[in-house]
Amino acid sequence: MSAATAGALAWAGPYAAALRAGRGPLFLRRSDGLLLPLDVERWCAPADPVDLDVLDRCEGAVLDVGCGPGRLVAELAARGRTVLGIDVSDAAVAGTVRLGGRALRRSVFEPLPGEGRWGTVLLLDGNVGIGGDPAALLHRVGALLRPGGLLIAETAAVDVDERALVQVVDMAGAPDGDLLFRWARLGTPALLRYARGWTRAGQWTAGGRRFAALRSRSASSRAEPPKRAAVISSQRVRKPSGDSPVTNR
């Protein structure tokens, strides 16, 4: 079984049902039994003020990794921004498309449109934990970004650096089959330790959530800080131009 197939299976079942219902409870259950709650209701709601502040900081074309049901992709698309969501869950991709966004069922570690040309990559809602290997994930994101591109990551609310095998489970504790997958939890200090070669571009807390912005290792030392309201040409994602990293691969 490929990693992409395993990932899709891991986020089927209770996760797909929760997205369709728009509510949880839903958890990541670690192999030691600890339950980590997943904020399904927030993911399924429109982008909130904290989300909007993050989106105001985005530059150029945006890739939302682990886009879920698509609230961020839909908001950026409504602004006329070039944006693509990727997720290993069919239900997440379908939800994003229903909201008017563009999304692909794809792992971040698979070939993607526009590699090396994205202006911003988002790793929000715990997605900095994808793959359970923060150094590998940061390396991959660096390859997706254009020179000097921006990563905006949401980190844990506490200073933590842990890896675990997890399953997605619902209120009844029913897992998505027997499939375990690797996940990580990182606080901001841990993320910055792994970000060797990246340039720190900002840290902030809003609404009880924590964020860090990093520039890719090829950024010039003269690179400007993240723009609060980036302006790009209005390119609908359904009709990408030759300069847009969004293609129909």
Side-chain angles (χ1 to χ4, degrees), residues 9 26-27 37 39 43 60 73 93 99 109-110 114 121 138 148 154-155 158-159 164 180 183 185 196 220 225 234:
L9 291 175
L26 198 69
F27 305 90
D39 200 351
W43 299 348
V73 175
V93 170
L99 292 178
F109 295 106
E110 292 183 285
V121 170
L138 285 171
E154 182 173 354
T155 57
V158 294
D159 185 5
L180 291 167
W183 199 254
R185 291 179 68 219
R196 295 177 180 175
S220 165
S234 179

mmCIF file with all atom_site columns, all heavy atoms in Angstrom, residues 9 26-27 37 39 43 60 73 93 99 109-110 114 121 138 148 154-155 158-159 164 180 183 185 196 220 225 234:
data_model
loop_
_atom_site.group_PDB
_atom_site.id
_atom_site.type_symbol
_atom_site.label_atom_id
_atom_site.label_alt_id
_atom_site.label_comp_id
_atom_site.label_asym_id
_atom_site.label_entity_id
_atom_site.label_seq_id
_atom_site.pdbx_PDB_ins_code
_atom_site.Cartn_x
_atom_site.Cartn_y
_atom_site.Cartn_z
_atom_site.occupancy
_atom_site.B_iso_or_equiv
_atom_site.pdbx_formal_charge
_atom_site.auth_seq_id
_atom_site.auth_comp_id
_atom_site.auth_asym_id
_atom_site.auth_atom_id
_atom_site.pdbx_PDB_model_num
ATOM 1   N N   . LEU A 1 9   ? -6.904  6.396  3.590   1.00 0.00 ? 9   LEU A N   1
ATOM 2   C CA  . LEU A 1 9   ? -7.686  5.483  4.425   1.00 0.00 ? 9   LEU A CA  1
ATOM 3   C C   . LEU A 1 9   ? -7.743  5.969  5.868   1.00 0.00 ? 9   LEU A C   1
ATOM 4   O O   . LEU A 1 9   ? -8.757  5.828  6.551   1.00 0.00 ? 9   LEU A O   1
ATOM 5   C CB  . LEU A 1 9   ? -7.080  4.081  4.366   1.00 0.00 ? 9   LEU A CB  1
ATOM 6   C CG  . LEU A 1 9   ? -7.215  3.350  3.037   1.00 0.00 ? 9   LEU A CG  1
ATOM 7   C CD1 . LEU A 1 9   ? -6.451  2.026  3.080   1.00 0.00 ? 9   LEU A CD1 1
ATOM 8   C CD2 . LEU A 1 9   ? -8.693  3.106  2.694   1.00 0.00 ? 9   LEU A CD2 1
ATOM 9   N N   . LEU A 1 26  ? -14.384 14.455 17.493  1.00 0.00 ? 26  LEU A N   1
ATOM 10  C CA  . LEU A 1 26  ? -13.447 13.636 16.744  1.00 0.00 ? 26  LEU A CA  1
ATOM 11  C C   . LEU A 1 26  ? -12.073 13.821 17.379  1.00 0.00 ? 26  LEU A C   1
ATOM 12  O O   . LEU A 1 26  ? -11.751 14.916 17.855  1.00 0.00 ? 26  LEU A O   1
ATOM 13  C CB  . LEU A 1 26  ? -13.434 14.078 15.276  1.00 0.00 ? 26  LEU A CB  1
ATOM 14  C CG  . LEU A 1 26  ? -12.853 13.098 14.256  1.00 0.00 ? 26  LEU A CG  1
ATOM 15  C CD1 . LEU A 1 26  ? -13.756 11.877 14.096  1.00 0.00 ? 26  LEU A CD1 1
ATOM 16  C CD2 . LEU A 1 26  ? -12.656 13.774 12.914  1.00 0.00 ? 26  LEU A CD2 1
ATOM 17  N N   . PHE A 1 27  ? -11.279 12.757 17.369  1.00 0.00 ? 27  PHE A N   1
ATOM 18  C CA  . PHE A 1 27  ? -9.992  12.795 18.060  1.00 0.00 ? 27  PHE A CA  1
ATOM 19  C C   . PHE A 1 27  ? -8.921  12.078 17.252  1.00 0.00 ? 27  PHE A C   1
ATOM 20  O O   . PHE A 1 27  ? -9.210  11.185 16.452  1.00 0.00 ? 27  PHE A O   1
ATOM 21  C CB  . PHE A 1 27  ? -10.091 12.090 19.426  1.00 0.00 ? 27  PHE A CB  1
ATOM 22  C CG  . PHE A 1 27  ? -11.172 12.601 20.322  1.00 0.00 ? 27  PHE A CG  1
ATOM 23  C CD1 . PHE A 1 27  ? -12.447 12.051 20.276  1.00 0.00 ? 27  PHE A CD1 1
ATOM 24  C CD2 . PHE A 1 27  ? -10.920 13.628 21.216  1.00 0.00 ? 27  PHE A CD2 1
ATOM 25  C CE1 . PHE A 1 27  ? -13.459 12.522 21.101  1.00 0.00 ? 27  PHE A CE1 1
ATOM 26  C CE2 . PHE A 1 27  ? -11.927 14.100 22.055  1.00 0.00 ? 27  PHE A CE2 1
ATOM 27  C CZ  . PHE A 1 27  ? -13.200 13.547 21.999  1.00 0.00 ? 27  PHE A CZ  1
ATOM 28  N N   . PRO A 1 37  ? -8.075  16.210 20.777  1.00 0.00 ? 37  PRO A N   1
ATOM 29  C CA  . PRO A 1 37  ? -9.308  16.642 20.108  1.00 0.00 ? 37  PRO A CA  1
ATOM 30  C C   . PRO A 1 37  ? -9.036  17.350 18.792  1.00 0.00 ? 37  PRO A C   1
ATOM 31  O O   . PRO A 1 37  ? -8.051  18.089 18.655  1.00 0.00 ? 37  PRO A O   1
ATOM 32  C CB  . PRO A 1 37  ? -9.951  17.591 21.131  1.00 0.00 ? 37  PRO A CB  1
ATOM 33  C CG  . PRO A 1 37  ? -8.818  18.059 21.988  1.00 0.00 ? 37  PRO A CG  1
ATOM 34  C CD  . PRO A 1 37  ? -7.839  16.933 22.041  1.00 0.00 ? 37  PRO A CD  1
ATOM 35  N N   . ASP A 1 39  ? -10.783 19.989 16.016  1.00 0.00 ? 39  ASP A N   1
ATOM 36  C CA  . ASP A 1 39  ? -11.767 21.076 16.055  1.00 0.00 ? 39  ASP A CA  1
ATOM 37  C C   . ASP A 1 39  ? -12.606 21.106 14.777  1.00 0.00 ? 39  ASP A C   1
ATOM 38  O O   . ASP A 1 39  ? -12.558 22.052 13.985  1.00 0.00 ? 39  ASP A O   1
ATOM 39  C CB  . ASP A 1 39  ? -11.050 22.409 16.255  1.00 0.00 ? 39  ASP A CB  1
ATOM 40  C CG  . ASP A 1 39  ? -11.971 23.497 16.786  1.00 0.00 ? 39  ASP A CG  1
ATOM 41  O OD1 . ASP A 1 39  ? -13.200 23.263 16.830  1.00 0.00 ? 39  ASP A OD1 1
ATOM 42  O OD2 . ASP A 1 39  ? -11.457 24.573 17.142  1.00 0.00 ? 39  ASP A OD2 1
ATOM 43  N N   . TRP A 1 43  ? -13.300 23.985 11.672  1.00 0.00 ? 43  TRP A N   1
ATOM 44  C CA  . TRP A 1 43  ? -12.864 23.697 10.307  1.00 0.00 ? 43  TRP A CA  1
ATOM 45  C C   . TRP A 1 43  ? -14.009 23.810 9.308   1.00 0.00 ? 43  TRP A C   1
ATOM 46  O O   . TRP A 1 43  ? -13.807 24.212 8.160   1.00 0.00 ? 43  TRP A O   1
ATOM 47  C CB  . TRP A 1 43  ? -12.278 22.296 10.219  1.00 0.00 ? 43  TRP A CB  1
ATOM 48  C CG  . TRP A 1 43  ? -11.078 22.063 11.086  1.00 0.00 ? 43  TRP A CG  1
ATOM 49  C CD1 . TRP A 1 43  ? -10.340 23.011 11.753  1.00 0.00 ? 43  TRP A CD1 1
ATOM 50  C CD2 . TRP A 1 43  ? -10.479 20.810 11.402  1.00 0.00 ? 43  TRP A CD2 1
ATOM 51  N NE1 . TRP A 1 43  ? -9.324  22.413 12.452  1.00 0.00 ? 43  TRP A NE1 1
ATOM 52  C CE2 . TRP A 1 43  ? -9.378  21.072 12.258  1.00 0.00 ? 43  TRP A CE2 1
ATOM 53  C CE3 . TRP A 1 43  ? -10.770 19.495 11.036  1.00 0.00 ? 43  TRP A CE3 1
ATOM 54  C CZ2 . TRP A 1 43  ? -8.577  20.043 12.754  1.00 0.00 ? 43  TRP A CZ2 1
ATOM 55  C CZ3 . TRP A 1 43  ? -9.970  18.474 11.520  1.00 0.00 ? 43  TRP A CZ3 1
ATOM 56  C CH2 . TRP A 1 43  ? -8.881  18.745 12.370  1.00 0.00 ? 43  TRP A CH2 1
ATOM 57  N N   . GLY A 1 60  ? 1.436   36.169 -2.837  1.00 0.00 ? 60  GLY A N   1
ATOM 58  C CA  . GLY A 1 60  ? 1.413   35.431 -4.093  1.00 0.00 ? 60  GLY A CA  1
ATOM 59  C C   . GLY A 1 60  ? 0.417   34.291 -4.084  1.00 0.00 ? 60  GLY A C   1
ATOM 60  O O   . GLY A 1 60  ? -0.600  34.304 -3.391  1.00 0.00 ? 60  GLY A O   1
ATOM 61  N N   . VAL A 1 73  ? -9.279  28.001 1.645   1.00 0.00 ? 73  VAL A N   1
ATOM 62  C CA  . VAL A 1 73  ? -9.214  28.027 0.182   1.00 0.00 ? 73  VAL A CA  1
ATOM 63  C C   . VAL A 1 73  ? -10.372 28.831 -0.381  1.00 0.00 ? 73  VAL A C   1
ATOM 64  O O   . VAL A 1 73  ? -10.201 29.666 -1.283  1.00 0.00 ? 73  VAL A O   1
ATOM 65  C CB  . VAL A 1 73  ? -9.222  26.595 -0.384  1.00 0.00 ? 73  VAL A CB  1
ATOM 66  C CG1 . VAL A 1 73  ? -9.267  26.617 -1.910  1.00 0.00 ? 73  VAL A CG1 1
ATOM 67  C CG2 . VAL A 1 73  ? -7.995  25.819 0.092   1.00 0.00 ? 73  VAL A CG2 1
ATOM 68  N N   . VAL A 1 93  ? -11.645 17.172 0.099   1.00 0.00 ? 93  VAL A N   1
ATOM 69  C CA  . VAL A 1 93  ? -11.548 17.751 -1.243  1.00 0.00 ? 93  VAL A CA  1
ATOM 70  C C   . VAL A 1 93  ? -12.936 18.095 -1.768  1.00 0.00 ? 93  VAL A C   1
ATOM 71  O O   . VAL A 1 93  ? -13.157 19.177 -2.326  1.00 0.00 ? 93  VAL A O   1
ATOM 72  C CB  . VAL A 1 93  ? -10.816 16.780 -2.189  1.00 0.00 ? 93  VAL A CB  1
ATOM 73  C CG1 . VAL A 1 93  ? -10.921 17.252 -3.635  1.00 0.00 ? 93  VAL A CG1 1
ATOM 74  C CG2 . VAL A 1 93  ? -9.352  16.651 -1.776  1.00 0.00 ? 93  VAL A CG2 1
ATOM 75  N N   . LEU A 1 99  ? -17.470 24.560 -1.770  1.00 0.00 ? 99  LEU A N   1
ATOM 76  C CA  . LEU A 1 99  ? -17.390 25.962 -1.344  1.00 0.00 ? 99  LEU A CA  1
ATOM 77  C C   . LEU A 1 99  ? -16.863 26.887 -2.439  1.00 0.00 ? 99  LEU A C   1
ATOM 78  O O   . LEU A 1 99  ? -16.751 28.085 -2.226  1.00 0.00 ? 99  LEU A O   1
ATOM 79  C CB  . LEU A 1 99  ? -16.499 26.079 -0.107  1.00 0.00 ? 99  LEU A CB  1
ATOM 80  C CG  . LEU A 1 99  ? -17.025 25.468 1.196   1.00 0.00 ? 99  LEU A CG  1
ATOM 81  C CD1 . LEU A 1 99  ? -15.994 25.641 2.301   1.00 0.00 ? 99  LEU A CD1 1
ATOM 82  C CD2 . LEU A 1 99  ? -18.357 26.086 1.603   1.00 0.00 ? 99  LEU A CD2 1
ATOM 83  N N   . PHE A 1 109 ? 3.739   15.034 0.059   1.00 0.00 ? 109 PHE A N   1
ATOM 84  C CA  . PHE A 1 109 ? 4.972   14.372 -0.351  1.00 0.00 ? 109 PHE A CA  1
ATOM 85  C C   . PHE A 1 109 ? 4.887   13.761 -1.752  1.00 0.00 ? 109 PHE A C   1
ATOM 86  O O   . PHE A 1 109 ? 5.866   13.185 -2.231  1.00 0.00 ? 109 PHE A O   1
ATOM 87  C CB  . PHE A 1 109 ? 5.354   13.297 0.673   1.00 0.00 ? 109 PHE A CB  1
ATOM 88  C CG  . PHE A 1 109 ? 5.692   13.866 2.024   1.00 0.00 ? 109 PHE A CG  1
ATOM 89  C CD1 . PHE A 1 109 ? 4.809   13.733 3.085   1.00 0.00 ? 109 PHE A CD1 1
ATOM 90  C CD2 . PHE A 1 109 ? 6.873   14.554 2.226   1.00 0.00 ? 109 PHE A CD2 1
ATOM 91  C CE1 . PHE A 1 109 ? 5.107   14.258 4.333   1.00 0.00 ? 109 PHE A CE1 1
ATOM 92  C CE2 . PHE A 1 109 ? 7.182   15.090 3.466   1.00 0.00 ? 109 PHE A CE2 1
ATOM 93  C CZ  . PHE A 1 109 ? 6.302   14.948 4.518   1.00 0.00 ? 109 PHE A CZ  1
ATOM 94  N N   . GLU A 1 110 ? 3.745   13.884 -2.399  1.00 0.00 ? 110 GLU A N   1
ATOM 95  C CA  . GLU A 1 110 ? 3.592   13.449 -3.785  1.00 0.00 ? 110 GLU A CA  1
ATOM 96  C C   . GLU A 1 110 ? 3.907   14.617 -4.722  1.00 0.00 ? 110 GLU A C   1
ATOM 97  O O   . GLU A 1 110 ? 3.934   15.776 -4.299  1.00 0.00 ? 110 GLU A O   1
ATOM 98  C CB  . GLU A 1 110 ? 2.160   12.973 -4.031  1.00 0.00 ? 110 GLU A CB  1
ATOM 99  C CG  . GLU A 1 110 ? 1.785   11.698 -3.318  1.00 0.00 ? 110 GLU A CG  1
ATOM 100 C CD  . GLU A 1 110 ? 0.372   11.271 -3.679  1.00 0.00 ? 110 GLU A CD  1
ATOM 101 O OE1 . GLU A 1 110 ? -0.584  11.891 -3.183  1.00 0.00 ? 110 GLU A OE1 1
ATOM 102 O OE2 . GLU A 1 110 ? 0.222   10.336 -4.482  1.00 0.00 ? 110 GLU A OE2 1
ATOM 103 N N   . GLY A 1 114 ? 3.117   23.219 -9.741  1.00 0.00 ? 114 GLY A N   1
ATOM 104 C CA  . GLY A 1 114 ? 3.824   24.450 -9.397  1.00 0.00 ? 114 GLY A CA  1
ATOM 105 C C   . GLY A 1 114 ? 4.931   24.321 -8.390  1.00 0.00 ? 114 GLY A C   1
ATOM 106 O O   . GLY A 1 114 ? 5.233   25.279 -7.658  1.00 0.00 ? 114 GLY A O   1
ATOM 107 N N   . VAL A 1 121 ? 2.923   28.810 1.547   1.00 0.00 ? 121 VAL A N   1
ATOM 108 C CA  . VAL A 1 121 ? 2.387   27.503 1.924   1.00 0.00 ? 121 VAL A CA  1
ATOM 109 C C   . VAL A 1 121 ? 1.818   27.624 3.334   1.00 0.00 ? 121 VAL A C   1
ATOM 110 O O   . VAL A 1 121 ? 2.473   28.185 4.227   1.00 0.00 ? 121 VAL A O   1
ATOM 111 C CB  . VAL A 1 121 ? 3.456   26.403 1.872   1.00 0.00 ? 121 VAL A CB  1
ATOM 112 C CG1 . VAL A 1 121 ? 2.934   25.114 2.508   1.00 0.00 ? 121 VAL A CG1 1
ATOM 113 C CG2 . VAL A 1 121 ? 3.893   26.139 0.432   1.00 0.00 ? 121 VAL A CG2 1
ATOM 114 N N   . LEU A 1 138 ? 9.450   20.228 6.550   1.00 0.00 ? 138 LEU A N   1
ATOM 115 C CA  . LEU A 1 138 ? 10.002  21.545 6.240   1.00 0.00 ? 138 LEU A CA  1
ATOM 116 C C   . LEU A 1 138 ? 10.846  21.500 4.966   1.00 0.00 ? 138 LEU A C   1
ATOM 117 O O   . LEU A 1 138 ? 10.813  22.428 4.152   1.00 0.00 ? 138 LEU A O   1
ATOM 118 C CB  . LEU A 1 138 ? 10.834  22.052 7.407   1.00 0.00 ? 138 LEU A CB  1
ATOM 119 C CG  . LEU A 1 138 ? 10.047  22.555 8.621   1.00 0.00 ? 138 LEU A CG  1
ATOM 120 C CD1 . LEU A 1 138 ? 10.999  22.824 9.779   1.00 0.00 ? 138 LEU A CD1 1
ATOM 121 C CD2 . LEU A 1 138 ? 9.254   23.807 8.285   1.00 0.00 ? 138 LEU A CD2 1
ATOM 122 N N   . GLY A 1 148 ? 12.537  32.776 -1.508  1.00 0.00 ? 148 GLY A N   1
ATOM 123 C CA  . GLY A 1 148 ? 12.024  33.778 -0.579  1.00 0.00 ? 148 GLY A CA  1
ATOM 124 C C   . GLY A 1 148 ? 10.577  33.583 -0.209  1.00 0.00 ? 148 GLY A C   1
ATOM 125 O O   . GLY A 1 148 ? 9.970   34.460 0.396   1.00 0.00 ? 148 GLY A O   1
ATOM 126 N N   . GLU A 1 154 ? 0.831   26.898 11.974  1.00 0.00 ? 154 GLU A N   1
ATOM 127 C CA  . GLU A 1 154 ? 0.194   26.991 13.284  1.00 0.00 ? 154 GLU A CA  1
ATOM 128 C C   . GLU A 1 154 ? 0.824   25.953 14.186  1.00 0.00 ? 154 GLU A C   1
ATOM 129 O O   . GLU A 1 154 ? 0.902   24.772 13.836  1.00 0.00 ? 154 GLU A O   1
ATOM 130 C CB  . GLU A 1 154 ? -1.308  26.762 13.167  1.00 0.00 ? 154 GLU A CB  1
ATOM 131 C CG  . GLU A 1 154 ? -2.038  26.901 14.483  1.00 0.00 ? 154 GLU A CG  1
ATOM 132 C CD  . GLU A 1 154 ? -3.552  26.840 14.337  1.00 0.00 ? 154 GLU A CD  1
ATOM 133 O OE1 . GLU A 1 154 ? -4.044  26.798 13.188  1.00 0.00 ? 154 GLU A OE1 1
ATOM 134 O OE2 . GLU A 1 154 ? -4.243  26.824 15.381  1.00 0.00 ? 154 GLU A OE2 1
ATOM 135 N N   . THR A 1 155 ? 1.279   26.375 15.337  1.00 0.00 ? 155 THR A N   1
ATOM 136 C CA  . THR A 1 155 ? 1.953   25.482 16.269  1.00 0.00 ? 155 THR A CA  1
ATOM 137 C C   . THR A 1 155 ? 1.062   25.202 17.474  1.00 0.00 ? 155 THR A C   1
ATOM 138 O O   . THR A 1 155 ? 0.036   25.846 17.685  1.00 0.00 ? 155 THR A O   1
ATOM 139 C CB  . THR A 1 155 ? 3.281   26.095 16.723  1.00 0.00 ? 155 THR A CB  1
ATOM 140 O OG1 . THR A 1 155 ? 3.048   27.383 17.305  1.00 0.00 ? 155 THR A OG1 1
ATOM 141 C CG2 . THR A 1 155 ? 4.240   26.249 15.544  1.00 0.00 ? 155 THR A CG2 1
ATOM 142 N N   . VAL A 1 158 ? 1.232   24.853 23.509  1.00 0.00 ? 158 VAL A N   1
ATOM 143 C CA  . VAL A 1 158 ? 2.214   24.606 24.568  1.00 0.00 ? 158 VAL A CA  1
ATOM 144 C C   . VAL A 1 158 ? 3.545   24.253 23.905  1.00 0.00 ? 158 VAL A C   1
ATOM 145 O O   . VAL A 1 158 ? 3.601   23.905 22.727  1.00 0.00 ? 158 VAL A O   1
ATOM 146 C CB  . VAL A 1 158 ? 1.766   23.461 25.500  1.00 0.00 ? 158 VAL A CB  1
ATOM 147 C CG1 . VAL A 1 158 ? 0.521   23.871 26.265  1.00 0.00 ? 158 VAL A CG1 1
ATOM 148 C CG2 . VAL A 1 158 ? 1.509   22.179 24.713  1.00 0.00 ? 158 VAL A CG2 1
ATOM 149 N N   . ASP A 1 159 ? 4.615   24.360 24.685  1.00 0.00 ? 159 ASP A N   1
ATOM 150 C CA  . ASP A 1 159 ? 5.942   24.034 24.171  1.00 0.00 ? 159 ASP A CA  1
ATOM 151 C C   . ASP A 1 159 ? 6.108   22.522 24.200  1.00 0.00 ? 159 ASP A C   1
ATOM 152 O O   . ASP A 1 159 ? 6.401   21.931 25.242  1.00 0.00 ? 159 ASP A O   1
ATOM 153 C CB  . ASP A 1 159 ? 7.018   24.719 25.012  1.00 0.00 ? 159 ASP A CB  1
ATOM 154 C CG  . ASP A 1 159 ? 8.410   24.513 24.442  1.00 0.00 ? 159 ASP A CG  1
ATOM 155 O OD1 . ASP A 1 159 ? 8.512   23.916 23.346  1.00 0.00 ? 159 ASP A OD1 1
ATOM 156 O OD2 . ASP A 1 159 ? 9.378   24.943 25.086  1.00 0.00 ? 159 ASP A OD2 1
ATOM 157 N N   . ALA A 1 164 ? 4.193   10.543 17.454  1.00 0.00 ? 164 ALA A N   1
ATOM 158 C CA  . ALA A 1 164 ? 3.381   9.427  17.917  1.00 0.00 ? 164 ALA A CA  1
ATOM 159 C C   . ALA A 1 164 ? 2.722   8.741  16.741  1.00 0.00 ? 164 ALA A C   1
ATOM 160 O O   . ALA A 1 164 ? 2.564   9.326  15.657  1.00 0.00 ? 164 ALA A O   1
ATOM 161 C CB  . ALA A 1 164 ? 2.311   9.907  18.910  1.00 0.00 ? 164 ALA A CB  1
ATOM 162 N N   . LEU A 1 180 ? -2.711  2.819  11.684  1.00 0.00 ? 180 LEU A N   1
ATOM 163 C CA  . LEU A 1 180 ? -2.008  3.827  12.464  1.00 0.00 ? 180 LEU A CA  1
ATOM 164 C C   . LEU A 1 180 ? -1.136  4.646  11.518  1.00 0.00 ? 180 LEU A C   1
ATOM 165 O O   . LEU A 1 180 ? -0.609  4.131  10.536  1.00 0.00 ? 180 LEU A O   1
ATOM 166 C CB  . LEU A 1 180 ? -1.119  3.169  13.518  1.00 0.00 ? 180 LEU A CB  1
ATOM 167 C CG  . LEU A 1 180 ? -1.825  2.460  14.677  1.00 0.00 ? 180 LEU A CG  1
ATOM 168 C CD1 . LEU A 1 180 ? -0.822  1.606  15.435  1.00 0.00 ? 180 LEU A CD1 1
ATOM 169 C CD2 . LEU A 1 180 ? -2.475  3.456  15.610  1.00 0.00 ? 180 LEU A CD2 1
ATOM 170 N N   . TRP A 1 183 ? 2.319   11.051 13.333  1.00 0.00 ? 183 TRP A N   1
ATOM 171 C CA  . TRP A 1 183 ? 1.902   12.438 13.532  1.00 0.00 ? 183 TRP A CA  1
ATOM 172 C C   . TRP A 1 183 ? 2.865   13.100 14.501  1.00 0.00 ? 183 TRP A C   1
ATOM 173 O O   . TRP A 1 183 ? 3.542   12.427 15.291  1.00 0.00 ? 183 TRP A O   1
ATOM 174 C CB  . TRP A 1 183 ? 0.475   12.488 14.085  1.00 0.00 ? 183 TRP A CB  1
ATOM 175 C CG  . TRP A 1 183 ? -0.207  13.813 13.907  1.00 0.00 ? 183 TRP A CG  1
ATOM 176 C CD1 . TRP A 1 183 ? -0.460  14.747 14.865  1.00 0.00 ? 183 TRP A CD1 1
ATOM 177 C CD2 . TRP A 1 183 ? -0.733  14.333 12.681  1.00 0.00 ? 183 TRP A CD2 1
ATOM 178 N NE1 . TRP A 1 183 ? -1.116  15.828 14.313  1.00 0.00 ? 183 TRP A NE1 1
ATOM 179 C CE2 . TRP A 1 183 ? -1.294  15.604 12.975  1.00 0.00 ? 183 TRP A CE2 1
ATOM 180 C CE3 . TRP A 1 183 ? -0.791  13.863 11.379  1.00 0.00 ? 183 TRP A CE3 1
ATOM 181 C CZ2 . TRP A 1 183 ? -1.889  16.389 12.008  1.00 0.00 ? 183 TRP A CZ2 1
ATOM 182 C CZ3 . TRP A 1 183 ? -1.388  14.650 10.408  1.00 0.00 ? 183 TRP A CZ3 1
ATOM 183 C CH2 . TRP A 1 183 ? -1.931  15.898 10.723  1.00 0.00 ? 183 TRP A CH2 1
ATOM 184 N N   . ARG A 1 185 ? 3.429   16.736 17.136  1.00 0.00 ? 185 ARG A N   1
ATOM 185 C CA  . ARG A 1 185 ? 2.930   17.962 17.765  1.00 0.00 ? 185 ARG A CA  1
ATOM 186 C C   . ARG A 1 185 ? 4.136   18.829 18.080  1.00 0.00 ? 185 ARG A C   1
ATOM 187 O O   . ARG A 1 185 ? 5.085   18.371 18.737  1.00 0.00 ? 185 ARG A O   1
ATOM 188 C CB  . ARG A 1 185 ? 2.146   17.669 19.045  1.00 0.00 ? 185 ARG A CB  1
ATOM 189 C CG  . ARG A 1 185 ? 0.818   16.988 18.831  1.00 0.00 ? 185 ARG A CG  1
ATOM 190 C CD  . ARG A 1 185 ? 0.144   16.728 20.167  1.00 0.00 ? 185 ARG A CD  1
ATOM 191 N NE  . ARG A 1 185 ? -0.274  17.966 20.819  1.00 0.00 ? 185 ARG A NE  1
ATOM 192 C CZ  . ARG A 1 185 ? -0.179  18.199 22.134  1.00 0.00 ? 185 ARG A CZ  1
ATOM 193 N NH1 . ARG A 1 185 ? 0.350   17.311 22.949  1.00 0.00 ? 185 ARG A NH1 1
ATOM 194 N NH2 . ARG A 1 185 ? -0.598  19.342 22.640  1.00 0.00 ? 185 ARG A NH2 1
ATOM 195 N N   . ARG A 1 196 ? 16.217  24.948 10.327  1.00 0.00 ? 196 ARG A N   1
ATOM 196 C CA  . ARG A 1 196 ? 17.576  25.360 10.008  1.00 0.00 ? 196 ARG A CA  1
ATOM 197 C C   . ARG A 1 196 ? 17.637  25.805 8.552   1.00 0.00 ? 196 ARG A C   1
ATOM 198 O O   . ARG A 1 196 ? 17.163  25.108 7.663   1.00 0.00 ? 196 ARG A O   1
ATOM 199 C CB  . ARG A 1 196 ? 18.543  24.209 10.248  1.00 0.00 ? 196 ARG A CB  1
ATOM 200 C CG  . ARG A 1 196 ? 18.642  23.798 11.706  1.00 0.00 ? 196 ARG A CG  1
ATOM 201 C CD  . ARG A 1 196 ? 19.567  22.611 11.890  1.00 0.00 ? 196 ARG A CD  1
ATOM 202 N NE  . ARG A 1 196 ? 19.659  22.205 13.297  1.00 0.00 ? 196 ARG A NE  1
ATOM 203 C CZ  . ARG A 1 196 ? 20.327  21.137 13.730  1.00 0.00 ? 196 ARG A CZ  1
ATOM 204 N NH1 . ARG A 1 196 ? 20.977  20.379 12.839  1.00 0.00 ? 196 ARG A NH1 1
ATOM 205 N NH2 . ARG A 1 196 ? 20.350  20.838 15.014  1.00 0.00 ? 196 ARG A NH2 1
ATOM 206 N N   . SER A 1 220 ? 16.510  36.187 0.124   1.00 0.00 ? 220 SER A N   1
ATOM 207 C CA  . SER A 1 220 ? 17.536  37.212 0.300   1.00 0.00 ? 220 SER A CA  1
ATOM 208 C C   . SER A 1 220 ? 17.442  37.777 1.702   1.00 0.00 ? 220 SER A C   1
ATOM 209 O O   . SER A 1 220 ? 16.374  37.863 2.302   1.00 0.00 ? 220 SER A O   1
ATOM 210 C CB  . SER A 1 220 ? 17.317  38.332 -0.722  1.00 0.00 ? 220 SER A CB  1
ATOM 211 O OG  . SER A 1 220 ? 18.067  39.464 -0.365  1.00 0.00 ? 220 SER A OG  1
ATOM 212 N N   . PRO A 1 225 ? 9.283   41.804 5.240   1.00 0.00 ? 225 PRO A N   1
ATOM 213 C CA  . PRO A 1 225 ? 8.467   40.979 6.128   1.00 0.00 ? 225 PRO A CA  1
ATOM 214 C C   . PRO A 1 225 ? 7.151   40.634 5.456   1.00 0.00 ? 225 PRO A C   1
ATOM 215 O O   . PRO A 1 225 ? 6.780   41.228 4.450   1.00 0.00 ? 225 PRO A O   1
ATOM 216 C CB  . PRO A 1 225 ? 8.238   41.896 7.345   1.00 0.00 ? 225 PRO A CB  1
ATOM 217 C CG  . PRO A 1 225 ? 8.405   43.275 6.807   1.00 0.00 ? 225 PRO A CG  1
ATOM 218 C CD  . PRO A 1 225 ? 9.450   43.177 5.735   1.00 0.00 ? 225 PRO A CD  1
ATOM 219 N N   . SER A 1 234 ? -5.777  39.457 -10.302 1.00 0.00 ? 234 SER A N   1
ATOM 220 C CA  . SER A 1 234 ? -6.943  38.617 -10.048 1.00 0.00 ? 234 SER A CA  1
ATOM 221 C C   . SER A 1 234 ? -6.976  37.488 -11.062 1.00 0.00 ? 234 SER A C   1
ATOM 222 O O   . SER A 1 234 ? -7.301  37.685 -12.222 1.00 0.00 ? 234 SER A O   1
ATOM 223 C CB  . SER A 1 234 ? -8.223  39.457 -10.164 1.00 0.00 ? 234 SER A CB  1
ATOM 224 O OG  . SER A 1 234 ? -9.367  38.663 -9.957  1.00 0.00 ? 234 SER A OG  1
#
